Amino acid sequence: MDKIAQNLEPLKSKLKNHNLYKIINTPEDLKIFCESHVFAVWDFMSLLKKLQIELTSINIPWMPSNNSEVSKLINEIVAGEETDENQDGSATSHYEMYINAIKDIDVDTNLISNQISSLNDINTITDDIKKLNIDDYIKEFLIFTFGIINDDKIHEIASVFTFGREDLIPDMFIPLLEKINSSDKTRIDKLIYYFKRHIEVDGDMHGPMAMKMLSFLCGDDEVKINESIKASEDALRVRIALWDGIEKKILNNK
C-alpha cells in the first residue's frame, strides 16, 4: 500500500490543489459543479456493488466466501454507503442524499435520473453512455469507471475504489466545504451535511477499510501491485479531467 500511495502522490497533490475549488463562489457556480459531480456520486456505487458481488457470498445456495475478513470489510462499507442516515435519521443511500441536497439549489434532478435510468445493461453501457445528453468530460469519466468494472480484475477495481475514490474524499471535499460554509446556508444545509458525512465516514472509516481490503487482494504479488498503481493513476487522471471540465464550464458561464 505504501508503494501505491507513493506513486500516486503527485496526482493526488494536483487534484487537491485544483483551481476548481477557488472558482466556486456563487450559487450558480455550485449548481454547475453539482450537475456534473452527481454522476461521480452515482457511478461510485457500481464500483462498490461489483466488489460486493466478487468478494462476498451472494449466491443461493449460500456458501462461505473465500475470505471472511475481506467480506466483512466490503459489507460494512456497503451498509454505510447504501443505507446511511440522513439528517432526519432515515435510511438513505449517499447518492439519494446528494440528490435530495442538490434539489435545494435548483438542480433539475429529473433530467439526471432520466439519463442514468437508460444505463441498465452492463454489456452495452459504453455505447449507452456515449448517447447520453451530458458533457463529454462526464462521459469519459463514466466510461473509465465501467471499463474498469468490465475488465473484471478485482484488485484493479479495488484500487480505483480505494485510491481513486475513498482515499480522496477528505482532500477533495474539505476545500469545497470551507467555501460553501462561507455562503448562504439556508439552501445548502443538506449539501453541507452530505459533505461532512462523507468526510467523517470515508476519511475515518471507509478509507482505511478499503486500504485493508486492497492489501488483502494484492498481497506481495508485484504484478497485481503494479496493475493497481496503473489503475489508480488512471482513476486520478480521469478525476482531474472531470474537474478540468467542470472548471471550464463554470468559467465559460461567468
Side-chain angles (χ1 to χ4, degrees):
M1 294 307 98
D2 288 342
K3 180 178 180 181
I4 297 175
Q6 288 169 6
N7 277 271
L8 298 179
E9 199 55 44
L11 288 170
K12 285 182 64 178
S13 178
K14 185 175 181 179
L15 189 56
K16 183 178 179 180
N17 296 294
H18 200 283
N19 191 56
L20 174 63
Y21 304 116
K22 301 174 185 176
I23 67 166
I24 299 177
N25 298 309
T26 69
E28 184 64 20
D29 297 339
L30 182 61
K31 180 182 176 182
I32 293 171
F33 169 80
C34 291
E35 286 172 340
S36 296
H37 179 242
V38 65
F39 289 93
V41 176
W42 171 74
D43 78 340
F44 166 83
M45 291 302 299
S46 290
L47 284 170
L48 176 59
K49 298 304 284 188
K50 175 65 173 179
L51 289 170
Q52 187 182 33
I53 289 168
E54 296 296 330
L55 299 176
T56 69
S57 182
I58 60 170
N59 296 318
I60 304 297
W62 179 87
M63 295 294 172
S65 66
N66 293 328
N67 191 314
S68 295
E69 183 70 22
V70 171
S71 295
K72 175 180 171 63
L73 291 170
I74 197 65
N75 278 331
E76 289 185 4
I77 295 174
V78 169
E81 295 287 345
E82 198 169 34
T83 54
D84 200 3
E85 289 188 358
N86 64 14
Q87 286 171 292
D88 300 324
S90 301
T92 184
S93 69
H94 282 191
Y95 169 72
E96 292 166 303
M97 196 183 298
Y98 194 80
I99 284 288
N100 289 331
I102 63 179
K103 285 179 181 177
D104 289 348
I105 58 171
D106 300 327
V107 173
D108 189 344
T109 57
N110 287 325
L111 290 177
I112 294 164
S113 298
N114 290 339
Q115 297 284 332
I116 289 172
S117 65
S118 67
L119 304 177
N120 51 25
D121 188 341
I122 191 64
N123 296 309
T124 62
I125 196 163
T126 296
D127 289 335
D128 293 339
I129 290 170
K130 292 176 181 178
K131 298 173 185 176
L132 294 181
N133 185 27
I134 57 177
D135 292 302
D136 286 343
Y137 60 84
I138 304 174
K139 292 180 182 179
E140 292 302 318
F141 188 87
L142 295 176
I143 288 170
F144 171 79
T145 298
F146 289 101
I148 283 288
I149 290 172
N150 279 330
D151 283 346
D152 220 23
K153 291 186 176 183
I154 195 63
H155 58 284
E156 290 188 357
I157 298 169
S159 67
V160 169
F161 179 86
T162 301
F163 288 105
R165 298 300 184 93
E166 290 293 297
D167 185 49
L168 287 176
I169 295 300
D171 284 348
M172 285 167 42
F173 283 163
I174 285 174
L176 187 55
L177 182 59
E178 290 172 347
K179 183 70 67 68
I180 291 172
N181 267 323
S182 65
S183 64
D184 180 11
K185 295 184 181 181
T186 57
R187 299 173 62 210
I188 60 173
D189 185 56
K190 291 178 184 176
L191 195 57
I192 289 175
Y193 177 85
Y194 169 85
F195 284 142
K196 284 185 175 179
R197 187 64 180 152
H198 251 291
I199 290 168
E200 176 186 353
V201 172
D202 292 334
D204 296 340
M205 292 179 281
H206 291 177
M209 289 166 70
M211 201 83 73
K212 190 173 182 181
M213 172 187 66
L214 182 58
S215 70
F216 272 116
L217 294 172
C218 287
D220 295 325
D221 189 323
E222 284 296 324
V223 173
K224 289 183 177 180
I225 291 170
N226 288 329
E227 287 180 342
S228 294
I229 291 172
K230 175 64 165 56
S232 300
E233 288 175 339
D234 290 343
L236 292 178
R237 289 191 182 98
V238 296
R239 173 71 76 161
I240 291 168
L242 178 67
W243 262 212
D244 290 343
I246 299 173
E247 178 193 4
K248 184 177 179 179
K249 189 167 186 177
I250 292 173
L251 290 175
N252 286 341
N253 184 66
K254 289 178 184 293

